Amino acid sequence: AGLGEFRIRDLNDKINKLLREKGHWEYRIKELGGPDYARIGPKMLDHEGKEVPGNRGYKYFGAAKDLPGVRELFEKEPLPPPRKTRAELMKDIDAEYYGYRDEDDGILELLEQEHEKKVIAEAVEKWKMEREARLARGEEEEEENIYAVHDDESDEEAGKEREGEEGQQKFIAHVPVPTQQEIEEALVRRKKMELLQKYASETLLAQSEEAKTLLGL
């Protein structure tokens, strides 16, 4: 450690250079059919040399491991917190997690009401400005007929009110609706049937009594 930082770095670089050369010789011996010293040779102990993770085999020896900037590389990172299981995560899920209790404090509703009033006021103001601009240009203002029925209107929208040309409310129905005259004719026919059944019954009773008298019963 008393050699100084630069001398220690030079010596550490020289040791790593010799180790690389040693590795080349071991590889060459294996190519020539000799033993594989990289596999069967003595292993380097941790206290003799320590490799920084991800540094491609460069090792630090002795006092080189305590050089500024090197010591921090060997400090172990804190272990990550243990991951919770799915069952543990599900324990924390309740109605509040899905937002069902957001309105319990009464604050959210007030904020929504204020925002709704603001949006409505802005929409009304915009409509008034557009209406005044059209009137200033001399354009006739045509109110949108919200009761108009279009061809592409679905059956679910049938029966909605619309404003007629005479200013009266009319209804659109997609089923046959009898007129007033047809209703009156149906009532008259019904009344005739009731009267016919009534008088036909009395006639039959009279004929029955007459037959009994003739037969002496």
Side-chain angles (χ1 to χ4, degrees):
L3 295 177
E5 178 181 351
F6 297 102
R7 180 59 177 164
I8 293 175
R9 289 185 183 275
D10 291 339
L11 291 175
N12 199 77
D13 290 340
K14 185 176 181 180
I15 295 173
N16 279 273
K17 183 178 180 180
L18 293 173
L19 289 175
R20 286 196 299 271
E21 185 177 355
K22 174 176 176 288
H24 294 326
W25 279 113
E26 290 174 347
Y27 180 74
R28 181 59 178 164
I29 291 172
K30 181 181 178 182
E31 281 186 339
L32 296 175
D36 186 2
Y37 289 106
R39 185 171 61 87
I40 64 176
K43 302 297 181 182
M44 183 176 296
L45 301 178
D46 292 340
H47 68 276
E48 294 178 352
K50 195 169 185 181
E51 179 182 345
V52 176
N55 205 21
R56 296 185 180 181
Y58 191 89
K59 299 180 182 297
Y60 290 90
F61 298 88
K65 293 184 289 185
D66 296 327
L67 292 174
V70 179
R71 186 185 303 108
E72 291 78 4
L73 298 176
F74 292 109
E75 293 180 354
K76 294 183 179 180
E77 297 181 358
L79 296 176
R83 297 185 60 181
K84 293 184 178 180
T85 62
R86 183 177 182 83
E88 292 175 347
L89 293 175
M90 293 299 292
K91 291 180 180 179
D92 299 331
I93 297 179
D94 52 7
E96 187 173 0
Y97 174 83
Y98 291 103
Y100 292 131
R101 298 177 181 172
D102 292 346
E103 300 179 358
D104 291 351
D105 54 2
I107 299 177
L108 183 60
E109 292 184 356
L110 295 177
L111 295 176
E112 289 179 347
Q113 291 176 2
E114 294 178 359
H115 182 69
E116 182 180 2
K117 292 179 180 178
K118 181 180 178 182
V119 172
I120 294 175
E122 292 177 355
V124 172
E125 186 66 24
K126 181 180 178 181
W127 176 80
K128 289 181 179 180
M129 293 177 62
E130 293 178 353
R131 182 170 178 270
E132 292 177 356
R134 289 195 301 268
L135 294 176
R137 292 194 300 266
E139 298 179 359
E140 294 184 359
E141 184 178 3
E142 296 182 358
E143 295 290 342
E144 182 181 359
N145 187 2
I146 62 175
Y147 300 105
V149 178
H150 304 284
D151 295 337
D152 57 349
E153 190 177 29
S154 63
D155 294 339
E156 295 179 356
E157 297 175 351
K160 290 184 178 179
E161 295 181 0
R162 69 172 183 175
E163 191 71 15
E165 295 179 357
E166 298 83 1
Q168 297 179 353
Q169 289 185 349
K170 294 185 178 180
F171 297 89
I172 298 298
H174 293 270
V175 294
V177 178
T179 61
Q180 184 68 23
Q181 183 179 358
E182 293 175 348
I183 295 175
E184 293 176 356
E185 293 176 355
L187 292 174
V188 171
R189 287 197 299 270
R190 181 177 178 182
K191 190 66 175 177
K192 287 181 178 180
M193 291 298 297
E194 292 177 354
L195 293 174
L196 182 60
Q197 292 177 358
K198 179 180 179 182
Y199 290 111
S201 299
E202 293 178 354
T203 304
L204 290 175
L205 291 174
Q207 293 176 356
S208 177
E209 292 294 335
E210 184 180 357
K212 292 179 178 180
T213 304
L214 293 175
L215 294 174
L217 298 177

